[in-house]
Amino acid sequence: MDAMEAKPTKRTVLVAVDMTAAYDRVNKTSLLYKMTDMDVPPCMMRWIRNFLADRRARVAWDETASAEVKMREGLPQGGVISPLLWLCYINDLAPVLRRHDVQIGMYADDLIIYASDSSVPTAQAKVQAAMDEVEEWAYAWNMTISATKTKTILFTSNVHEVNSKKKVDICLGDTTIQQTSEVTVLGVVFDTQLSFTQHVQQLKGKLAKRLQVTKALAGTTWGCSSVTLRRMYCQFIQPVALYGSAAYMSLSRKTNREKMDQVAAAGARIITGCPAGTRTRVVMAEANIRSISSLAEEQGAILRERVIRLPDNVPARQTVTRKMKKRLVNRQTWREEATKIAKEALLEETEREAMSLQPRPPWLSMGKGRISFHTESGDTTSRHDPPERRRAAAERVLESLPPTDSTYYTDGSTEKGFGVGGGGVVRIEQGRGNATWSVPAGKWSSSYRAEQVAFLAAVRDAAGAPKEVKTTRLCTDSLSLVTFLKQGTRGPAPETLTEIWTGLNHLSRRKVNVQIVWIPGHANIAGNEQADQAANTGRTLPQETAKIDLPSAKVAIRGVCWKKWSGTYHTTVPPEHTHRRATDGRCLKYESEWARRDQVLLHQLRANRCPLLQATLARWNRPDTDGLCPECGVPEDTEHVVCECPKYQAARSALLGHTPTLTVLQEDPDAVLRFFRRTGLLPEAR
């Protein structure tokens, strides 16, 4: 898309390379040779060599088995480390290809090569040179490229060049690679104009089948509850619709976004049982789900936040931070959309915490036995126990541990669970004396983040202790933090957690024994209570120097996107609508004893689209009704039946009050169900 935005506009030639039976053709000796060049530790090399050696296979049918066949080459299909070993095998191809001024994308055994230029022949020449290198590499390492499955495509905004009107000739040996109007990369269908029309069309067909499965689980009077149906929608349908949407949804045409939102609306109608014709935004509020386009915006903003924290040399970060002068007014990339959301969340005003892509190796991450973790006080108590019992359990654990030269208590505090945060540290030590101090955790901080900041402050102080200090105890009431540290640095980690581990390993190298102890919070433990007070003070400190971590940024983004989504309710649903007057956009609070038909009735009443109401039947053009109440001669809608009709006044007074309002549908829905049963409008279940 950046090529299309450029002035003058650029065209992009892309080749999707398909290697025949890639995993099966890997030569084991060649793989080990390449891994040796990558400086893989000898101990790991021996393990991998044994893992790949002497692998055999046979076919079994009933009680008959074939002879064994020794697998002389190839990686185990379905093996956990097979994709990683394949990346090691193909890794030396990347620097060779980049010499030809092309971009590459590698994921498992998928390889794409593309180049952009204002001239199609120039871009084609770059890609052709790279393909020659791929062919040479494949021949050298016993791999085969499928000439029939490898495809090429030209991305352009020129209508005279789209859909293969402009020919691109890329050759694989003596064979010209087929040029197509669309290519599938990692499950996403790319067309020549990046409209993603074909992808959305295929995706909608797949989602329609899943909606049918969900619909088969419940009707309007039987089947699964709305809670179960919503859970199924969120786990079975929504993830499929959102796959890749963070990147392509903003580029997609408005009609395509509307098609995806129609899927969410259809899911909402299945969940609630509301009939067709119900206002879409109302039924979405009833089902408590958001549109696909709204969720895609949120995921795009979160994706940008994750990528922008990566090192500068990572290509994905270079894409996010690239500045482009906008040329296409009617097209917006996810980068632009995500930046706008980040500004609304005030994230651009705060320094971001970086992500570390190179954690310490697992065999160096546990402090060589000098770091111990203790969570035993949680084994005999729960947070619901009285503070005295929880304190006694924690004291027993502390008394059972060897004495230490210094003890730290840390705690974090935030405003209402998320907001301005602070950390507090209490040090008890004979050498340097006791001390208490506070640290800021940032304008946007979760409780967990504030706990990390406080713990890091304690680790930094412990690292500066005199050499006489040989044992240190770090006490925190964050069980999540202790659990994470106990697991070690297994993958990309925030800067704060990485620095905590670096500090702990520094103490270990100094031969300092470290005890990390979880203690229950608010259990009247003196050190913890002092740290809690210091953490509250930390919230009042200047927050400009505190960085914002990724989880806290996610919460801020979700808050902005949810506010934006909630605002669409008030702009599309008029104030006089029954649903807005009754609920103001809030969802229904379910009771476990409600049957499916009870839930559907409440949803339909709140949406003012219930077949028990004459006004609804009249909207459906039923010939046997005029939509009026037989008793009063006025439109029989939800408000009339629940709040006004004199025919049901006795039941209304007994169950809903003399003059109820529509808010009773939100505040006491169970009473509404009893009212409908007593009036006979809702027959008893058979």
Side-chain angles (χ1 to χ4, degrees):
M1 190 60 199
D2 286 344
M4 293 184 181
E5 287 279 15
K7 288 186 177 181
T9 182
K10 294 182 179 181
R11 286 81 168 167
T12 300
V13 176
L14 179 144
V15 175
V17 181
D18 184 277
M19 294 193 180
T20 303
Y23 284 14
D24 296 336
R25 300 293 300 274
V26 172
N27 184 277
K28 299 177 183 180
T29 303
S30 300
L31 172 63
L32 296 174
Y33 168 78
K34 292 187 176 191
M35 295 182 72
T36 302
D37 281 350
M38 296 170 65
D39 294 329
V40 176
C43 60
M44 187 171 291
M45 288 289 295
R46 288 192 296 270
W47 188 94
I48 293 173
R49 183 184 294 109
N50 292 331
F51 173 75
L52 296 175
D54 197 29
R55 301 192 71 89
R56 302 171 184 269
R58 66 180 181 178
V59 178
W61 180 263
D62 289 338
E63 298 180 357
T64 305
S66 69
E68 287 187 345
V69 176
K70 188 173 182 179
M71 314 302 290
R72 301 186 182 278
E73 64 178 16
L75 302 174
Q77 291 288 342
V80 176
I81 67 169
S82 293
L84 180 60
L85 295 177
W86 166 255
L87 292 180
C88 294
Y89 196 73
I90 199 175
N91 186 61
D92 58 346
L93 178 60
V96 175
L97 297 181
R98 291 196 178 98
R99 291 202 299 259
H100 298 282
D101 193 22
V102 297
Q103 301 295 321
I104 60 174
M106 292 181 175
Y107 187 85
D109 57 347
D110 288 322
L111 169 64
I112 60 171
I113 305 170
Y114 59 98
S116 298
D117 197 276
S118 56
S119 168
V120 174
T122 302
Q124 175 182 314
K126 294 177 181 179
V127 174
Q128 181 63 66
M131 279 301 299
D132 293 341
E133 294 282 6
V134 173
E135 185 179 6
E136 183 178 340
W137 178 91
Y139 178 79
W141 299 105
N142 195 36
M143 303 301 294
T144 302
I145 301 175
S146 174
T148 57
K149 293 184 178 179
T150 300
K151 308 292 182 183
T152 184
I153 187 173
L154 173 65
F155 297 110
T156 176
S157 59
N158 189 329
V159 294
H160 300 294
E161 299 175 344
V162 300
N163 299 326
S164 303
K165 295 177 183 177
K166 177 71 174 180
K167 296 302 178 182
V168 175
D169 295 324
I170 303 293
C171 296
L172 180 63
D174 297 331
T175 305
T176 301
I177 298 175
Q178 179 184 357
Q179 182 179 357
T180 63
S181 299
E182 58 191 42
V183 63
T184 302
V185 179
L186 297 180
V188 178
V189 181
F190 291 78
D191 57 81
T192 56
Q193 290 184 297
L194 294 179
S195 68
F196 297 98
T197 300
Q198 185 64 26
H199 175 72
V200 170
Q201 184 176 344
Q202 293 182 12
L203 183 58
K204 190 174 181 181
K206 182 188 299 185
L207 294 173
K209 296 178 181 178
R210 295 185 174 231
L211 285 170
Q212 287 298 326
V213 173
T214 308
K215 189 175 182 179
L217 296 179
T220 56
T221 59
W222 59 274
C224 297
S225 67
S226 297
V227 176
T228 302
L229 293 173
R230 181 183 182 277
R231 186 178 296 120
M232 184 172 183
Y233 169 84
C234 292
Q235 297 179 357
F236 184 60
I237 298 174
Q238 188 171 276
V240 177
L242 288 175
Y243 175 75
S245 62
Y248 78 79
M249 188 65 76
S250 60
L251 280 173
S252 185
R253 293 172 178 171
K254 182 180 179 181
T255 54
N256 292 331
R257 295 195 295 269
E258 291 173 349
K259 288 179 181 178
M260 297 307 300
D261 289 343
Q262 289 170 6
V263 172
R269 288 190 173 87
I270 294 173
I271 294 169
T272 61
C274 290
T278 307
R279 191 182 290 265
T280 299
R281 191 58 184 84
V282 168
V283 75
M284 297 283 283
E286 278 297 288
N288 193 24
I289 61 176
R290 288 164 57 187
S291 67
I292 301 300
S293 57
S294 173
L295 291 170
E297 285 182 6
E298 178 183 295
Q299 289 197 354
I302 292 175
L303 175 63
R304 177 180 180 271
E305 283 299 312
R306 181 182 291 111
V307 172
I308 206 170
R309 287 169 161 76
L310 299 177
D312 293 337
N313 61 345
V314 176
R317 190 184 190 281
Q318 296 170 2
T319 300
V320 167
T321 57
R322 185 180 299 139
K323 301 295 184 181
M324 294 293 297
K325 190 173 182 180
K326 193 168 182 60
R327 187 181 68 87
L328 302 176
V329 180
N330 59 339
R331 304 291 295 275
Q332 181 172 248
T333 65
W334 70 272
R335 178 180 57 209
E336 297 165 336
E337 198 170 70
T339 302
K340 181 180 178 181
I341 294 175
K343 290 180 179 179
E344 293 178 9
L346 305 179
L347 297 178
E348 300 298 293
E349 303 174 3
T350 308
E351 185 178 358
R352 293 176 171 89
E353 181 184 54
M355 292 287 290
S356 173
L357 288 181
Q358 297 178 341
R360 295 179 62 83
W363 52 87
L364 298 178
S365 298
M366 295 305 294
K368 296 183 179 180
R370 294 187 178 275
I371 302 174
S372 59
F373 298 86
H374 305 275
T375 58
E376 295 87 346
S377 58
D379 298 337
T380 57
T381 61
S382 70
R383 61 180 181 177
H384 304 293
D385 291 332
E388 296 78 14
R389 182 177 178 183
R390 291 184 286 128
R391 181 181 62 185
E395 290 175 346
R396 286 195 297 270
V397 172
L398 295 175
E399 291 171 359
S400 67
L401 299 175
T404 58
D405 299 324
S406 63
T407 299
Y408 292 87
Y409 290 91
T410 68
D411 198 8
S413 175
T414 57
E415 185 178 357
K416 298 179 181 180
F418 181 80
V420 179
V425 184
V426 174
R427 182 186 70 205
I428 303 175
E429 182 184 314
Q430 292 184 353
R432 292 181 294 174
N434 300 343
T436 301
W437 68 96
S438 306
V439 290
K443 297 178 181 179
W444 301 103
S445 173
S446 62
S447 298
Y448 182 52
R449 167 65 175 176
E451 298 280 0
Q452 295 176 28
V453 171
F455 198 88
L456 175 59
V459 172
R460 285 173 174 170
D461 188 78
K467 295 181 179 180
E468 292 76 17
V469 176
K470 295 299 182 183
T471 55
T472 297
R473 179 180 298 162
L474 300 166
C475 301
T476 175
D477 60 5
S478 174
L479 183 59
S480 299
L481 179 58
V482 176
T483 302
F484 182 88
L485 294 175
K486 187 175 181 179
Q487 293 174 349
T489 51
R490 297 185 176 183
E495 190 177 61
T496 298
L497 292 172
T498 302
E499 188 176 348
I500 288 175
W501 260 118
T502 301
L504 292 174
N505 280 281
H506 173 72
L507 292 172
S508 176
R509 288 195 300 272
R510 285 176 44 194
K511 298 183 179 180
V512 177
N513 294 318
V514 181
Q515 302 170 5
I516 299 178
V517 185
W518 175 76
I519 56 175
H522 306 292
N524 297 324
I525 300 174
N528 180 255
E529 295 300 322
Q530 295 176 32
D532 181 61
Q533 295 177 8
N536 290 330
T537 303
R539 287 164 43 191
T540 65
L541 297 176
Q543 303 289 334
E544 286 73 16
T545 58
K547 300 178 181 179
I548 184 169
D549 64 328
L550 180 59
S552 299
K554 287 181 179 180
V555 175
I557 288 171
R558 290 189 181 109
V560 169
C561 292
W562 176 256
K563 184 178 179 180
K564 183 179 178 180
W565 168 249
S566 301
T568 62
Y569 176 86
H570 293 92
T571 56
T572 58
V573 181
E576 65 274 10
H577 194 280
T578 300
H579 191 270
R580 185 164 174 180
R581 293 165 58 200
T583 70
D584 197 31
R586 293 172 292 173
C587 60
L588 179 64
K589 298 178 181 178
Y590 298 103
E591 298 288 344
S592 58
E593 64 270 12
W594 290 349
R596 168 64 176 170
R597 69 170 191 159
D598 296 333
Q599 297 174 349
V600 171
L601 173 63
L602 289 170
H603 287 308
Q604 292 175 342
L605 288 173
R606 290 153 59 97
N608 200 26
R609 288 295 186 274
C610 178
L612 298 180
L613 306 175
Q614 296 299 317
T616 299
L617 297 177
R619 287 191 183 95
W620 296 347
N621 297 321
R622 293 288 180 86
D624 54 345
T625 181
D626 56 2
L628 303 179
C629 174
E631 185 78 15
C632 310
V634 298
E636 188 184 71
D637 55 11
T638 298
E639 183 175 20
H640 179 74
V641 173
V642 174
C643 306
E644 299 170 353
C645 187
K647 180 179 179 180
Y648 310 119
Q649 185 59 44
R652 183 182 299 112
S653 299
L655 298 171
L656 306 179
H658 289 288
T659 57
T661 62
L662 285 172
T663 56
V664 71
L665 290 164
Q666 177 69 28
E667 297 168 355
D668 195 357
D670 196 58
V672 176
L673 289 176
R674 294 197 302 271
F675 167 76
F676 268 77
R677 290 194 184 96
R678 180 172 295 189
T679 58
L681 292 171
L682 179 63
E684 294 293 336
R686 297 179 180 178

